[in-house]
Each structure stands twice: as structure tokens, then as C-alpha cells.
Amino acid sequence: MSQLWIAVLGASALCFILKLLGYSLPESFFSNPRLQRINALIPVVLLSALVASQTLTKDSQVIVDHRIAGVLVAAVALRFKAPFPLMMLLAALVSALLYRSNSI
Amino acid sequence: MAARLIRQNSRVSFPRRAVLRDSLSVAIPVGSYGAAFGAAAVAGGFSVAQACALSLLLFSGASQFAVVGVMTGGGSALSAIATGALLGIRNGLYGMRMAPILNLRGLKRALGAQITIDESTGVAISQENRGEDAMRYGFFATGIGIFFFWNLFTLIGALSADSIGDPSSWGLDAAVPAAFLGLVWPRLVDKKSRIAALLAVIIALSLTPFVGAGFPIIATVLIAIALGWSTK
């Protein structure tokens, strides 16, 4: 099986087990405030790291290219409470224009 | 099936139309954003079938994008699975919250669990003042609605990306980090979260040249543990 299929099926299986586990465990199982604080921060760090690596790295190198312009525009759009699809569209548009004009 | 699940649980009356409107106003825009996922997955080297399998079987936006992001960045399948699963923990917590309200058994529990995500739980909780029947209705209407539209649009996005050629010239390589930014943005509400986000960016970028792709992302969980550990 290819690495991609392993990732697809492995992540799907684990995520489904996590969903199902929620219905099988008592709510008190997760009442420790320290665990709750850590858990609240996990999506913050993972998603932030993904923003950084998807914007500023390529082939294990940190590089600045057309993508950063798109992501900065997305940040401005989010700052002004733009809806999600519009924000992504603006990011793609700006990045694509820069990429095509080769100005960075 | 939605109708049957909802009907058998209905005892008290509630403004069904209003709850349905709330549910669809979330389900349709969120579902249509599956097109971005499908396109990003295919642009990142996944097949149309693999993109659709993620939306059908994993069905949790942040985890799906993470799997695609890590694999596209050259990470191992194990890093992709770990990152996706770590982002999936919160769905389990939503399940704990929904379990006493939905009270599902057997196959229905498995189906209910699969549609337990940010939006279905969010709409259900927002119906709290209309009573538990409204919460159940909102949960299933939103969850099933998103499942339908998300999968439909994943297929549409994947098929169109298959035919556009260079993904960069369509901005898809910037749309993916923009999606992650949009997902993290509403979570940056307090100082601790913002510090965590900043540290995660710095650590992920600093580690990039030295360790295998995917690892710099998982390593940032240590930041969550360190910052979450202290009460300050």
C-alpha cells in the first residue's frame, strides 16, 4: 500500500476511534483542568505550525515566495471578518498573480 | 435516515423551521469549502479517490488538511497520522458533551460519532435555550448536511484540480495555509493562545532544516504541554 493510502486510512481510523471514544467515556474522564488547558492549546500550536510550514518552507528549507503575500492578504481579510471562502479566494488570487508575474 | 433519527427523538415541540435554518446556514457554506480541500489534496499529489476517502472516512476539516499538508510537505505517513489524530482529539470531547443529549446506541452511535465535529456540536449547543429536542435536531441536521455537501464539494474540487495543471498558478499553494490560518484565527482569543501560536511558528520554522518534514509540526505539541501545564 502506498504511503498516501496508509496516511489516509490510518488517520481516518484513529480519528473515528477518537470520535467514538467520546460517546463511550464519562464526561468526568476529562475533567482535569491541566489536561483541558493543554488540549485547548493543541489545535492552536498545530494549526499555527502548519500555517508557517505551508507558507514559508519548501523541501526542508525556509524560503519566502509568492505564498506569503497570499497568506498576509488572508490575515487582513480575517481581521476584517471576511467570510471563510472569500478569505481563501483572496489568498489564492494574490498568490497566483504574483506567481504568474514572477515578481518575487 | 436523518428524518427518522430526528422524529423518534421528538417529544416536545420546538421551532423546527428556525433550527433547520440555523443548521443549513452553517452546513451549506462549510460544506462548499470542501471544494478547497478536494483541490488542495489533489494539487498536493493525492488521487481523487484518496481525497474523497478522507472526506468520507475522516470527515474533520482540520485533520484532513493536516494529513494533506504533512504529506505534501514530504512528511512520513506516521507524522501525518499523528498530526491528524492530535487535531481529532477535540471531536472526542464534543462526543462527551453530546452523548447524554443524543443517547445513541449501536450503529446509530457510530453514525452519530462520525458526524461529531466543530459545527454540528456548535449548532447543537447554540440551540440549548430551545430544549434538548432542538439540540438533537440541530446536531443531526447540521452534521448530515455538512457530510453531504462536504463530500459532494470534495469530489467537485478534486476533479477540477485534476485538470488545471500547475497548482501554484491557481494560488492553491497559498489557499492551504490560508485555510489553516482561518481555522486557528478564532482560537487566538487570549494572550496565552497568541504566545503559543507565535512560539509554534518560530519552533516549526527553526526545526525545518534539521529534522524530517512533519516532525517540526508535531514537536510544537510540547509548547501546548508546557504552556498548558502552568496555571498562569
Side-chain angles (χ1 to χ4, degrees):
Chain A
M1 196 163 39
S2 75
Q3 288 295 305
L4 287 177
W5 272 118
I6 293 171
V8 168
L9 298 178
S12 298
L14 257 181
C15 283
F16 179 68
I17 290 168
L18 285 167
K19 285 173 178 170
L20 203 56
L21 215 55
Y23 285 84
S24 315
L25 293 171
E27 207 161 355
S28 58
F29 184 83
F30 207 79
S31 58
N32 181 319
R34 187 167 272 164
L35 274 183
Q36 288 188 349
R37 282 198 306 272
I38 292 171
N39 181 65
L41 287 173
I42 284 177
V44 173
V45 295
L46 289 178
L47 294 169
S48 304
L50 281 161
V51 172
S53 71
Q54 295 281 304
T55 308
L56 292 166
T57 74
K58 193 162 204 169
D59 304 326
S60 285
Q61 297 294 325
V62 177
I63 56 161
V64 175
D65 60 15
H66 55 279
R67 293 171 295 174
I68 184 75
V71 174
L72 287 175
V73 168
V76 173
L78 286 165
R79 174 71 186 74
F80 287 99
K81 300 190 193 306
F84 215 107
L86 175 67
M87 173 277 289
M88 287 186 59
L89 205 66
L90 289 171
L93 190 71
V94 169
S95 173
L97 283 174
L98 267 180
Y99 179 80
R100 289 186 189 212
S101 67
N102 266 329
S103 59
I104 284 190
Chain B
M1 188 193 67
R4 193 161 53 83
L5 276 169
I6 290 158
R7 214 177 304 129
Q8 74 174 36
N9 281 326
S10 297
R11 288 179 300 271
V12 195
S13 71
F14 60 90
R16 205 162 292 226
R17 195 175 286 260
V19 180
L20 188 63
R21 196 172 51 229
D22 289 356
S23 303
L24 290 181
S25 71
V26 171
I28 293 170
V30 171
S32 67
Y33 155 58
F37 170 74
V42 168
F46 285 70
S47 67
V48 174
Q50 286 163 338
C52 291
L54 276 171
S55 283
L56 281 168
L57 303 174
L58 203 165
F59 189 57
S60 190
S63 297
Q64 288 181 228
F65 268 109
V67 169
V68 168
V70 171
M71 293 307 283
T72 306
S76 67
L78 198 63
S79 308
I81 293 169
T83 311
L86 282 165
L87 284 166
I89 293 173
R90 68 184 193 291
N91 292 326
L93 302 178
Y94 297 151
M96 286 181 187
R97 176 81 173 80
M98 294 310 300
I101 298 159
L102 299 176
N103 209 5
L104 301 170
R105 295 278 172 269
L107 182 64
K108 276 184 204 156
R109 175 182 283 191
L111 295 173
Q114 179 66 344
I115 58 167
T116 303
I117 53 171
D118 292 325
E119 293 82 5
S120 53
T121 311
V123 169
I125 289 169
S126 73
Q127 305 298 326
E128 208 159 13
N129 56 353
R130 287 176 171 149
E132 289 205 347
D133 290 310
M135 291 176 81
R136 276 191 284 274
Y137 190 93
F139 176 85
F140 284 111
T142 309
I144 294 169
I146 294 185
F147 192 82
F148 175 77
F149 288 111
W150 178 259
N151 280 287
L152 175 71
F153 279 97
T154 297
L155 179 64
I156 294 171
L159 288 175
S160 19
D162 225 6
S163 57
I164 60 166
D166 182 2
S168 295
S169 65
W170 295 90
L172 279 173
D173 52 351
V176 177
F180 286 124
L181 187 66
L183 289 168
V184 77
W185 196 272
R187 297 174 186 276
L188 302 178
V189 283
D190 57 316
K191 198 176 164 200
K192 203 171 209 173
S193 299
R194 291 191 200 115
I195 292 171
L198 186 65
L199 287 176
V201 167
I202 294 168
I203 295 211
L205 291 179
S206 328
L207 287 177
T208 294
F210 308 108
V211 295
F215 185 80
I217 293 157
I218 299 175
T220 60
V221 168
L222 292 174
I223 301 168
I225 294 172
L227 287 176
W229 198 268
S230 71
T231 46
K232 273 179 289 180

